[in-house]
Amino acid sequence: MNDKSAMSGVSITRLVSSDSDFDEQLSNILAWDEAADHRVHEVVKDILSNVKNNGDNAVVEYTRQFDGVTASQMSELEILPERLSESLSKISVEQKRALEVAADRIRRYHEKQSQASWSYTETDGTVLGQQVVAMDRVGLYVPGGKAAYPSSVLMNAIPAKVAGVSELIMVVPTPNGEVNELVLAAAAISGVDRVFTIGGAQAVAALAYGTATVPAVDKIVGPGNIYVATAKREVFGTVGIDMIAGPSEILVICDGETDPDWIAMDLFSQAEHDENAQSILISHDKQYLDQVQNSIDKLLVTMERKDIISASIEGRAAFIEVQDLNEAVNVSNRIAPEHLELSVEDPDALLPAIRHAGAIFMGRYTAEALGDYCAGPNHVLPTSGTARFSSPLGVYDFQKRSSIIKFSADGASEMGKVASVLARGEGLTAHARSAEYRIKGSVGQ
Amino acid sequence: MNDKSAMSGVSITRLVSSDSDFDEQLSNILAWDEAADHRVHEVVKDILSNVKNNGDNAVVEYTRQFDGVTASQMSELEILPERLSESLSKISVEQKRALEVAADRIRRYHEKQSQASWSYTETDGTVLGQQVVAMDRVGLYVPGGKAAYPSSVLMNAIPAKVAGVSELIMVVPTPNGEVNELVLAAAAISGVDRVFTIGGAQAVAALAYGTATVPAVDKIVGPGNIYVATAKREVFGTVGIDMIAGPSEILVICDGETDPDWIAMDLFSQAEHDENAQSILISHDKQYLDQVQNSIDKLLVTMERKDIISASIEGRAAFIEVQDLNEAVNVSNRIAPEHLELSVEDPDALLPAIRHAGAIFMGRYTAEALGDYCAGPNHVLPTSGTARFSSPLGVYDFQKRSSIIKFSADGASEMGKVASVLARGEGLTAHARSAEYRIKGSVGQ
């Protein structure tokens, strides 16, 4: 049964796991194909190559053209530290406190992710290990205008600083010169080192290749529109990048005992991001699904972003009826959701069986929105089923490892024999002879 | 001074760090641009879409066509576990022992990389943490024919099994039906679960999308030719992939006291991989550089792969003369080499200053070749300067993390206030209201 429960209100796709074609129906609901836009790709390639060749001049020109600012040179497009600090007095006391509380909690959580170098010594004196080092310089892209999210600054900047990145460079476009004080305040609180008011593919290019004014970075993180995402894909290899995110998703597993208004609002909090966001509710209780449907119909009219919410719910949401909580977990593992709410009496009982999810919100009190802002864990999470193989953004994304190998004379002699056999088996005789030189009693010693 | 030291022998580019245009010359030496091949891209896209739509039939057809095998159905292209075990008796006792010693050392080293789940409880009862879970299923690509490297099977398979991956599926083409017993033996020793004798873009497609016979995996790792690399790039997002490797490189820093024959052979061990491989030697001792040049001229004629070695050395090698060891380290950090040999008296003194390198081989006895086979650390390393932001292949590449958030009623109430302020600051009122429902005394409670 795949019907849209229309009634008078919002139409929501309903699936029943015992239906013979459930698998296929679920695949259809989940299908998401980011259309590759050839024109965007061409525009981005031009911008990248122009900035690579002409540096600051190209960046200033694009910024005048796309963002309507009047700067004539790059130095006018930097926000100096004093101006950043000033933002802290331009926002409300309540906002400043909220940012600080969130930043503290995010910092404390991420400090647990720090990795330490390690090594061990074998009996013959050979030392093996791993040296963990922070990246030197990281670029943080922050969208400007309406989609400017101070929480996103905290979530990207704090893990980088906890990792020990020495220079964190933020870019944020200011369309028509309009700056967002909350974004600047978040940058000040998270310890961003430099801020340039540039955006789009030109900002990504400046960070990747460097200009006379903007230093080249080792990695670029942060969300952006299709031009930014395309530019990041293109410069990958020259610099590291974070994941390119798809539309945001929430999956709620509910035992039917949570206030249906709460669940409706939790689904809305995902749906209000954009029309392609996906909200899925799984329960064994058909009557409960109907109650949430009623709450949705009742609450939708009260929402500021009701047009986006209803487009998202009607286009991409699903209510899935299952046999029991175990089956709910199996369906969830199949989906590998970005956000998973376990709105059940005993979430700990389900946790060990959860294999794939970006973040797991346990119990009726743990609304996803709390995690988006101030719980502590990161809100940059793998979307579109990529939680099968990827992780939340973390300190580990700003550190990298070097293997350490230090052979003693004895160790090199013993292992030289092993390497020699294997290298000759592969026909790589320079490898073999290089190892053999280190064998005691060989011609080289 | 950028001259090719020709004399009678091999011509090697020489740079001197005190030259005014040293930076530019170094950039020229390092420049490496993988030419994007439009035709390859089109061929690969066709193969991917054909396998996605026609599954086993398409894979069998391509395998007949490209690998000259006679199979008529997919089941004939699976190597069963008994056949894998059989390979252990088909290789020499010495080879079997060498593989086992290497596998043991690789396993022992990688076990140190395992990450554990963690959590902590706050005073109000809120629990935050990170759950670490292995990927369910991983695909390992192994090239067939001449470039079939059993060491590569060990280096890719063992970290996956140490991570806890439950099903590890290897693909290896067998051109004209020829199997490599060492590769099969390495698969048996590392605990590979299933092996299919398929290769190319069709094998990548089978692993990414799954067919009736080949199960879909969550991540694909392992080296391959341009078709395999292009296919991996294309399926990225559907599955995870490892890094796409550029040509291999070695950078040797030498204090002038290591036997120049040893260093010449270490440089050869890199150069023999392929014509584009890069070997760089840095020393403060000009006379020593001349001695290594002499060793190269003397030894080259004795090498089995002398044509590849001389093409690589003449085309891409460089000898760099610096002021002292500190400057040598600075130049090395600028290059961020895949393999770094510190062939000096006191390598530990230099280690803390090394910021970017895939693997660091310390002291005169630690030939890179030892690390390639049996030291323990991984030989899959970041190339082309990407050590600035990436790490050796490791257990961490086969595990992923989920954030855990479990608010107590008190915690949700306090944090609901913070989230509400921040969400309203971003204009996301469904987020705000979802959080506000959890505030004590709110309408929802």
Side-chain angles (χ1 to χ4, degrees):
Chain A
M1 181 183 78
N2 173 7
D3 64 294
K4 295 259 182 180
S5 313
M7 298 181 283
S8 60
V10 187
S11 152
I12 302 176
T13 299
R14 290 264 189 135
L15 305 183
V16 179
S17 66
S18 56
D19 280 0
S20 58
D21 59 348
F22 171 69
D23 262 2
E24 198 189 330
Q25 288 184 33
L26 183 57
S27 296
N28 289 341
I29 285 288
L30 299 175
W32 175 257
D33 237 340
E34 189 91 40
D37 187 323
H38 183 69
R39 199 191 56 82
V40 170
H41 197 242
E42 291 303 304
V43 170
V44 165
K45 286 217 297 201
D46 276 354
I47 295 175
L48 293 178
S49 115
N50 191 7
V51 172
K52 191 174 186 179
N53 296 323
N54 301 308
D56 282 343
N57 286 345
V59 177
V60 171
E61 185 47 42
Y62 284 124
T63 306
R64 290 163 59 94
Q65 189 180 324
F66 297 141
D67 296 340
V69 301
T70 55
S72 62
Q73 52 188 2
M74 197 63 213
S75 59
E76 298 169 45
L77 296 176
E78 178 161 10
I79 295 184
L80 297 176
E82 309 82 68
R83 176 64 186 85
L84 273 195
S85 312
E86 226 178 274
S87 65
L88 293 171
S89 57
K90 292 196 170 185
I91 61 176
S92 75
V93 172
E94 195 188 23
Q95 285 177 327
K96 178 166 179 255
R97 189 187 156 271
L99 281 176
E100 283 169 347
V101 169
D104 279 350
R105 293 184 62 87
I106 295 166
R107 195 172 291 118
R108 206 179 324 147
Y109 178 87
H110 284 81
E111 277 165 358
K112 313 263 182 206
Q113 292 178 333
S114 262
Q115 305 165 108
S117 300
W118 52 262
S119 68
Y120 59 96
T121 306
E122 302 190 307
T123 47
D124 64 15
T126 295
V127 178
L128 299 174
Q130 189 173 274
Q131 177 160 288
V132 180
V133 176
M135 290 173 203
D136 285 342
R137 214 184 268 134
V138 165
L140 165 54
Y141 191 96
V142 178
K146 294 210 176 59
Y149 293 145
S151 60
S152 173
V153 175
L154 302 182
M155 291 292 182
N156 281 275
I158 292 173
K161 294 310 280 187
V162 169
V165 170
S166 18
E167 202 174 0
L168 180 57
I169 301 181
M170 181 171 120
V171 294
V172 54
T174 52
N176 305 308
E178 194 190 338
V179 297
N180 181 320
E181 296 297 339
L182 275 169
V183 163
L184 296 191
I189 286 171
S190 10
V192 168
D193 295 288
R194 294 180 76 179
V195 178
F196 293 97
T197 56
I198 57 178
Q202 60 274 18
V204 173
L207 291 169
Y209 307 126
T211 70
T213 310
V214 182
V217 301
D218 300 309
K219 185 166 188 167
I220 301 175
V221 299
N225 64 19
I226 179 78
Y227 291 92
V228 173
T230 304
K232 280 169 66 182
R233 263 187 213 279
E234 280 292 312
V235 299
F236 176 57
T238 301
V239 296
I241 61 168
D242 56 356
M243 273 247 149
I244 308 281
S248 195
E249 334 125 27
I250 190 172
L251 190 161
V252 180
I253 294 178
C254 187
D255 58 10
E257 302 295 327
T258 308
D259 184 328
D261 285 1
W262 290 23
I263 298 299
M265 197 59 77
D266 294 355
L267 299 174
F268 285 177
S269 76
Q270 199 53 236
E272 75 173 338
H273 277 296
D274 72 279
E275 289 83 349
N276 295 316
Q278 185 159 56
S279 307
I280 295 176
L281 171 61
I282 305 184
S283 183
H284 69 284
D285 182 344
K286 186 170 187 306
Q287 277 64 48
Y288 182 73
L289 295 176
D290 294 338
Q291 289 171 30
V292 176
Q293 167 88 48
N294 289 338
S295 292
I296 286 177
D297 291 335
K298 175 186 72 183
L299 292 167
L300 182 62
V301 292
T302 73
M303 302 307 299
E304 281 83 349
R305 296 163 77 97
K306 58 174 162 291
D307 291 346
I308 295 175
I309 293 173
S310 68
S312 159
I313 297 278
E314 298 210 345
R316 302 212 67 217
F319 280 10
I320 303 176
E321 188 188 327
V322 292
Q323 296 300 306
D324 52 31
L325 285 176
N326 286 338
E327 195 184 18
V329 168
N330 289 342
V331 172
S332 173
N333 282 337
R334 154 96 194 272
I335 295 173
E338 182 189 10
H339 305 97
L340 171 60
E341 269 189 31
L342 301 178
S343 201
V344 299
E345 194 54 35
D346 184 8
D348 289 287
L350 302 186
L351 188 60
I354 304 291
R355 293 198 55 80
H356 314 296
I360 306 170
F361 301 81
M362 300 176 68
R364 311 189 201 288
Y365 288 102
T366 312
E368 187 218 303
L370 299 175
D372 287 342
Y373 291 105
C374 54
N378 213 286
H379 78 193
V380 180
L381 298 167
T383 58
S384 307
T386 58
R388 288 179 296 117
F389 54 84
S390 41
S391 301
L393 187 74
V395 170
Y396 35 78
D397 288 303
F398 301 101
Q399 296 180 325
K400 72 268 179 354
R401 311 165 185 91
S402 300
S403 307
I404 304 290
I405 311 176
K406 185 184 176 190
F407 272 110
S408 65
D410 286 345
S413 185
E414 277 313 295
M415 284 307 118
K417 298 170 194 164
V418 175
S420 165
V421 172
L422 294 173
R424 289 186 182 278
E426 294 182 353
L428 295 177
T429 48
H431 283 70
R433 290 173 63 180
S434 164
E436 288 156 10
Y437 274 140
R438 275 79 174 184
I439 298 175
K440 290 188 174 179
S442 71
V443 182
Q445 296 208 334
Chain B
M1 181 183 78
N2 173 6
D3 66 294
K4 295 259 181 178
S5 315
M7 298 181 283
S8 60
V10 187
S11 152
I12 303 176
T13 300
R14 289 263 190 138
L15 305 183
V16 178
S17 66
S18 57
D19 280 0
S20 58
D21 59 348
F22 171 68
D23 262 3
E24 198 188 330
Q25 288 183 34
L26 183 58
S27 296
N28 290 340
I29 285 288
L30 298 175
W32 175 256
D33 236 342
E34 189 90 41
D37 187 323
H38 184 67
R39 198 191 55 83
V40 169
H41 197 242
E42 292 303 305
V43 170
V44 165
K45 285 216 299 198
D46 276 354
I47 294 175
L48 294 179
S49 115
N50 192 6
V51 173
K52 192 175 185 178
N53 296 323
N54 301 310
D56 282 343
N57 287 344
V59 177
V60 171
E61 184 47 42
Y62 284 124
T63 305
R64 291 165 59 95
Q65 188 180 326
F66 296 142
D67 296 341
V69 301
T70 54
S72 61
Q73 51 188 6
M74 196 62 214
S75 60
E76 298 168 45
L77 297 176
E78 179 161 8
I79 295 186
L80 297 178
E82 308 82 69
R83 176 65 186 84
L84 274 196
S85 312
E86 223 177 276
S87 64
L88 292 172
S89 58
K90 292 197 170 183
I91 61 176
S92 76
V93 172
E94 197 187 22
Q95 285 177 325
K96 177 164 179 256
R97 190 187 155 272
L99 282 176
E100 283 168 347
V101 170
D104 277 350
R105 294 185 61 87
I106 295 166
R107 196 171 292 118
R108 207 179 324 145
Y109 178 86
H110 284 81
E111 277 165 358
K112 312 262 185 211
Q113 292 178 334
S114 261
Q115 305 166 106
S117 301
W118 52 263
S119 68
Y120 58 98
T121 305
E122 303 189 306
T123 48
D124 64 14
T126 295
V127 178
L128 299 174
Q130 190 173 271
Q131 177 159 289
V132 179
V133 176
M135 290 172 204
D136 286 342
R137 214 184 268 134
V138 165
L140 165 54
Y141 191 94
V142 178
K146 292 211 175 57
Y149 293 147
S151 60
S152 174
V153 175
L154 301 182
M155 292 290 183
N156 282 275
I158 292 174
K161 294 310 280 188
V162 169
V165 170
S166 17
E167 202 173 2
L168 180 57
I169 301 182
M170 181 171 121
V171 293
V172 55
T174 52
N176 304 310
E178 194 189 337
V179 297
N180 181 319
E181 296 296 340
L182 276 169
V183 163
L184 297 191
I189 287 171
S190 9
V192 167
D193 296 288
R194 295 180 75 179
V195 178
F196 293 96
T197 55
I198 57 178
Q202 61 275 18
V204 174
L207 291 170
Y209 307 126
T211 69
T213 310
V214 182
V217 301
D218 300 310
K219 186 166 188 166
I220 301 175
V221 299
N225 64 17
I226 179 76
Y227 291 91
V228 172
T230 304
K232 279 169 67 182
R233 263 187 215 280
E234 281 292 312
V235 300
F236 176 57
T238 301
V239 296
I241 61 168
D242 56 356
M243 275 248 151
I244 307 282
S248 196
E249 331 127 28
I250 190 172
L251 189 159
V252 180
I253 294 177
C254 187
D255 58 9
E257 302 294 329
T258 307
D259 184 328
D261 285 359
W262 291 22
I263 298 298
M265 198 59 77
D266 294 355
L267 299 174
F268 285 177
S269 76
Q270 199 54 236
E272 76 174 337
H273 276 297
D274 71 281
E275 289 85 350
N276 295 316
Q278 184 159 54
S279 308
I280 295 177
L281 171 61
I282 305 185
S283 184
H284 69 286
D285 183 343
K286 187 172 184 310
Q287 278 65 48
Y288 183 72
L289 296 177
D290 294 338
Q291 290 171 31
V292 176
Q293 167 89 50
N294 290 338
S295 294
I296 286 176
D297 291 336
K298 175 186 72 183
L299 292 167
L300 183 62
V301 293
T302 72
M303 302 308 299
E304 280 83 350
R305 295 163 77 97
K306 59 173 161 293
D307 292 344
I308 294 174
I309 294 173
S310 69
S312 159
I313 298 277
E314 299 211 345
R316 301 212 68 218
F319 280 10
I320 303 176
E321 187 189 330
V322 292
Q323 296 301 304
D324 53 31
L325 286 175
N326 286 338
E327 195 184 18
V329 168
N330 290 341
V331 173
S332 173
N333 281 337
R334 155 97 193 272
I335 295 173
E338 182 190 9
H339 305 99
L340 172 60
E341 269 189 30
L342 301 178
S343 200
V344 299
E345 194 54 35
D346 185 9
D348 288 289
L350 302 185
L351 187 60
I354 305 291
R355 292 198 55 79
H356 313 297
I360 306 169
F361 301 82
M362 300 177 67
R364 310 190 201 288
Y365 288 102
T366 313
E368 188 217 302
L370 299 176
D372 287 343
Y373 290 105
C374 54
N378 213 284
H379 78 192
V380 181
L381 298 167
T383 58
S384 306
T386 58
R388 289 181 294 115
F389 53 83
S390 40
S391 301
L393 187 73
V395 171
Y396 35 78
D397 289 303
F398 300 102
Q399 297 181 324
K400 72 263 177 2
R401 311 164 184 92
S402 301
S403 307
I404 304 290
I405 311 175
K406 184 184 176 191
F407 273 110
S408 65
D410 286 347
S413 185
E414 278 314 295
M415 284 307 118
K417 297 169 194 165
V418 176
S420 164
V421 171
L422 293 173
R424 289 185 182 277
E426 293 182 353
L428 295 176
T429 48
H431 283 71
R433 290 173 64 181
S434 165
E436 289 157 10
Y437 274 141
R438 275 79 174 185
I439 299 175
K440 291 189 173 177
S442 72
V443 182
Q445 297 207 332

